[in-house]
């Protein structure tokens, strides 16, 4: 493939040729993830939406996103992606919608007001914890019901029922206004005993006894899924969630007049499906499969001999049908091939991209967010992202730059603990929590530097976004992404994992030396140019074009 190294633009004939061939074979591009993100999207889901948008623009192909987790407001979440300008059009097919027989064609995002249960006249109705919620207590003051509405006040999310003041049942309402899921709990400890999924006509479609079987790859004796017909009889029985997914995909992708290109970013629940495709290659000769590993494939740093993470079992398992593996960096590809070989699969290295159209250089939104000498850390507030290490770095930086501040952008389960830790370290007036911010460009524009303390980072889209806006990056040199974007002394600095002293020293250098900061900023913008959409589209066209004829070649080679 030809790529102009100066502009980062790919050879347009590459993706034009693939688009023509894919359309001639009645191709449909399918992305497999767990759920459809709404306004706030994890990095991985965001990468999938962006890639789908890229394929629409350059390949002009039909796109379907398959999701396997229950979502009662999936129409609203899908529409939100379009409203935010992340993608032009989108078809989403959800496992639970399929088994529940829910037709969302033409559905708007306003919930049909459901019929709520009648209340005992002796019960007391009060405002709940949130503005539009309702709490219901009996004459003894014990909670019997809690009605959770959405922040807008429009529509019911769920209703919790209590037995002797303890949660015993939760009903979740669909946007169409009916109870779509009922969860029954053990009132003594809150353990979910059973989930029941209903059709719009209120008949039971699916019964699930969770146990441990909802975890990918786990089969537990106390786990079961029963798919019921409209007479209430068990039509099919499954022992795990991934077994249910495999049945669903095998059913959905039988049309041999269509060539389905499956791209999987969340392999944990889909490995069984790909194994079934491998067993039935002749029956599903219209399927092409590509997996994208987004993290280290082992549980430890030892990628050659360390224990393999279940999520990446397909790398070692030849029975899992896989036409290609697409890594985000050369380092990750080399680690995988060095350990497993290629297992008769194509390997390609295609990083994420950043689109100038959806990431304008400047915006008037939220001006003057950050003070001078501000460091930012963007991502979910959870242990693996290194926020606690960032606090330690800040404490060291303050010795040289007394007015330095640290700003967290994101939400997560560790926020309360982080706030407490900042207070304990007497950093409360130097650390700020901004939550999830949809429009990040002004943040990158105003920040002095991005701090990346992640323990594992397959690529790090946040790093690319920061560089695009001329924001230097100081990061741990972990597997795999930072070193593919950060060139030492050109756009930032890399440090061995745990080197807090070195990281703090470079942060202080950038904050205190305006000339250094400006030079790194210029370098950041230049390096980001190599990740423009056209160059990445050409790389994808090359891989997809090579995958198209593979099934036919594999069959002929066996003969």
């Amino acid at each position: 493939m030809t790529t102009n190294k100066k502009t980062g633009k790919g050879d347009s004939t590459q993706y034009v040729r693939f688009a023509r061939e894919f359309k001639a074979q009645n191709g449909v591009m399918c992305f497999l993830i767990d759920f459809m993100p709404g306004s706030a999207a994890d990095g991985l889901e965001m990468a999938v939406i962006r890639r789908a948008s890229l394929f629409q623009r350059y390949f002009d192909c039909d796109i379907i996103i398959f999701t396997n987790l229950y979502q009662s407001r999936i129409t609203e979440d899908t529409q939100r992606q379009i409203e935010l300008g992340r993608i032009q059009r989108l078809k989403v097919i959800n496992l639970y919608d399929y088994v529940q027989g829910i037709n969302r064609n033409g559905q708007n995002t306003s919930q049909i007001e459901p019929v709520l249960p009648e209340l005992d006249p002796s019960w007391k109705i009060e405002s709940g914890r949130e503005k539009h919620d309702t709490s219901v207590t009996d004459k003894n003051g014990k909670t019997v019901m809690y009605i959770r509405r959405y922040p807008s006040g429009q529509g019911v999310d769920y209703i919790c029922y209590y037995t002797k003041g303890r949660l015993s049942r939760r009903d979740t309402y669909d946007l169409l206004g009916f109870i779509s899921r009922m969860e029954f709990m053990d009132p003594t400890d809150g353990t979910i005993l059973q989930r029941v999924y209903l059709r719009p006509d209120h008949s039971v479609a699916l019964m699930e006894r969770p146990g441990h079987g909802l975890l990918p790859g786990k089969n537990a004796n106390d786990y079961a899924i029963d798919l019921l017909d409209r007479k209430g009889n068990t039509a099919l029985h499954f022992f795990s969630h991934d077994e249910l997914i495999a049945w669903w995909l095998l059913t959905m992708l039988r049309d041999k007049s269509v060539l389905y290109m499956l791209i999987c970013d969340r392999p944990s629940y889909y490995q069984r499906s790909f194994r079934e495709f491998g067993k039935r290659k002749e029956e599903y000769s219209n399927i092409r499969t590509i997996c994208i590993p987004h993290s280290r494939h082992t549980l430890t740093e030892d990628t050659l001999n360390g224990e393999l993470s279940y999520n990446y079992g397909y790398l070692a398992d030849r029975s899992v049908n896989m036409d290609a593996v697409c890594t985000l960096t050369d380092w990750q590809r080399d680690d995988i091939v060095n350990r497993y070989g290629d297992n008769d699969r194509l390997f390609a290295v295609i990083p994420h991209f950043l689109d100038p159209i959806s990431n304008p250089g400047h915006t008037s939104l939220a001006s003057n967010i950050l003070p001078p000498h501000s460091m930012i850390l963007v991502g979910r507030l959870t242990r693996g992202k290194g926020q606690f290490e960032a606090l330690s770095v800040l404490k060291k930086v303050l010795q040289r730059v007394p007015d330095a501040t640290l700003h967290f952008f994101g939400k997560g389960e560790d926020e309360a603990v982080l706030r407490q830790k900042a207070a304990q370290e007497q950093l409360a007036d130097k650390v700020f929590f901004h939550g999830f911010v949809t429009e990040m460009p002004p943040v990158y524009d105003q920040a002095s530097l991005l701090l990346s303390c992640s323990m594992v980072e397959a690529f790090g889209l946040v790093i690319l976004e920061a560089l695009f806006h001329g924001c230097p990056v100081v990061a741990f040199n972990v597997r795999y992404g930072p070193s593919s974007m950060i060139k030492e002394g050109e756009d930032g600095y890399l440090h061995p994992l745990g080197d807090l002293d070195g990281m703090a020293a470079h942060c202080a250098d950038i904050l205190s030396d305006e000339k250094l900061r400006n030079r790194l900023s210029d370098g950041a913008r230049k390096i980001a140019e190599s990740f423009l959409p056209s160059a990445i589209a050409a790389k994808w066209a090359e891989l997809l074009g090579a995958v198209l004829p593979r099934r036919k070649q594999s069959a002929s080679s066996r003969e």
Side-chain angles (χ1 to χ4, degrees), residues 373 375 377 386-408 418 420-432 449 451 453 499-508 511:
H373 299 157
M375 303 184 296
L377 196 150
Q387 284 95 355
F388 291 93
E389 286 74 12
L391 292 178
S392 298
V393 170
L394 172 63
K395 195 167 185 179
K396 296 175 183 294
V397 168
L398 287 170
Q399 296 173 15
R400 286 179 53 191
V401 188
D403 65 341
T405 54
L406 177 62
H407 301 258
F408 292 119
L418 277 167
Q420 184 180 20
K421 179 67 173 177
Q424 289 174 350
E425 298 293 333
Q426 298 182 341
L427 297 172
D429 61 336
K430 297 291 185 179
V431 179
F432 301 88
L449 63 89
L451 197 57
C453 300
D499 180 14
L500 302 182
D501 288 335
M503 183 174 273
H506 272 134
C507 288
L511 295 177

Side-chain angles (χ1 to χ4, degrees), residues 72-73 111 148-150 155-159 171-173:
S72 60
R73 301 178 73 87
Q111 186 187 50
R148 176 75 170 98
R149 289 185 173 272
Y150 284 90
V156 174
D157 184 0
Y158 57 80
I159 298 179
D171 294 351
T172 302
Y173 287 76

Side-chain angles (χ1 to χ4, degrees), residues 445-512:
D445 288 338
Q446 296 171 37
S448 299
L449 63 89
L450 172 75
L451 197 57
S452 176
C453 300
S454 295
M455 310 303 167
V456 178
E457 193 66 81
F459 186 78
L461 193 56
V462 164
I463 294 176
L464 182 55
E465 290 175 346
L467 296 177
F468 186 85
H469 289 275
C471 181
V473 181
V474 180
F476 285 143
N477 187 19
V478 295
R479 285 178 164 89
Y480 289 97
S483 62
S484 68
M485 293 172 282
I486 301 170
K487 307 307 175 187
E488 190 74 12
E490 293 183 31
D491 59 348
Y493 298 98
L494 292 167
H495 291 274
L497 182 63
D499 180 14
L500 302 182
D501 288 335
M503 183 174 273
H506 272 134
C507 288
D509 288 345
I510 296 171
L511 295 177
S512 59

Side-chain angles (χ1 to χ4, degrees), residues 41 178 221 272:
F178 69 99
N221 294 329
R272 184 167 190 143

Side-chain angles (χ1 to χ4, degrees), residues 150-171:
Y150 284 90
S152 64
Q154 180 189 60
V156 174
D157 184 0
Y158 57 80
I159 298 179
C160 290
Y161 296 88
Y162 296 80
T163 301
K164 296 181 180 180
R166 295 197 173 192
L167 180 64
S168 58
R169 174 180 150 191
R170 178 169 51 230
D171 294 351

Side-chain angles (χ1 to χ4, degrees), residues 329-556:
T329 67
D330 293 312
W331 189 6
Q332 186 175 28
R333 176 203 57 198
D334 293 345
D335 273 355
I336 292 172
V337 173
N338 286 341
R339 178 163 181 174
Y340 304 108
D342 62 15
N343 274 342
D344 193 30
R345 297 162 178 166
L346 294 175
F347 271 80
V349 178
I350 306 178
H352 292 317
F353 70 95
L354 203 62
D355 192 343
I357 295 176
S358 60
N359 291 272
H362 298 276
T363 175
S364 60
L365 179 68
S367 59
N368 299 321
I369 295 176
L370 303 176
H373 299 157
S374 57
M375 303 184 296
I376 62 171
L377 196 150
V378 182
R380 184 170 179 80
L381 303 182
T382 187
R383 297 277 172 171
K385 293 298 183 181
Q387 284 95 355
F388 291 93
E389 286 74 12
L391 292 178
S392 298
V393 170
L394 172 63
K395 195 167 185 179
K396 296 175 183 294
V397 168
L398 287 170
Q399 296 173 15
R400 286 179 53 191
V401 188
D403 65 341
T405 54
L406 177 62
H407 301 258
F408 292 119
F409 289 87
K411 296 181 178 180
E413 59 272 18
D414 280 348
E415 181 173 340
V417 184
L418 277 167
R419 288 180 180 273
Q420 184 180 20
K421 179 67 173 177
Q424 289 174 350
E425 298 293 333
Q426 298 182 341
L427 297 172
D429 61 336
K430 297 291 185 179
V431 179
F432 301 88
F433 295 83
H434 298 271
F436 177 80
V437 176
T438 303
E439 295 289 341
M440 284 299 294
V443 175
Y444 295 125
D445 288 338
Q446 296 171 37
S448 299
L449 63 89
L450 172 75
L451 197 57
S452 176
C453 300
S454 295
M455 310 303 167
V456 178
E457 193 66 81
F459 186 78
L461 193 56
V462 164
I463 294 176
L464 182 55
E465 290 175 346
L467 296 177
F468 186 85
H469 289 275
C471 181
V473 181
V474 180
F476 285 143
N477 187 19
V478 295
R479 285 178 164 89
Y480 289 97
S483 62
S484 68
M485 293 172 282
I486 301 170
K487 307 307 175 187
E488 190 74 12
E490 293 183 31
D491 59 348
Y493 298 98
L494 292 167
H495 291 274
L497 182 63
D499 180 14
L500 302 182
D501 288 335
M503 183 174 273
H506 272 134
C507 288
D509 288 345
I510 296 171
L511 295 177
S512 59
D513 188 339
E514 186 175 354
K515 288 184 179 179
L516 173 62
R517 202 267 176 195
N518 290 338
R519 178 172 63 78
L520 294 174
S521 180
D522 291 340
R525 291 189 179 92
K526 290 178 182 177
I527 288 173
E529 288 179 355
S530 59
F531 297 92
L532 291 174
S534 55
I536 304 306
K539 289 178 182 289
W540 271 109
E542 185 176 26
L543 173 60
L544 295 169
V547 166
L548 275 181
R550 267 184 69 81
R551 200 61 55 87
K552 188 179 297 183
Q553 288 176 353
S554 297
S556 61

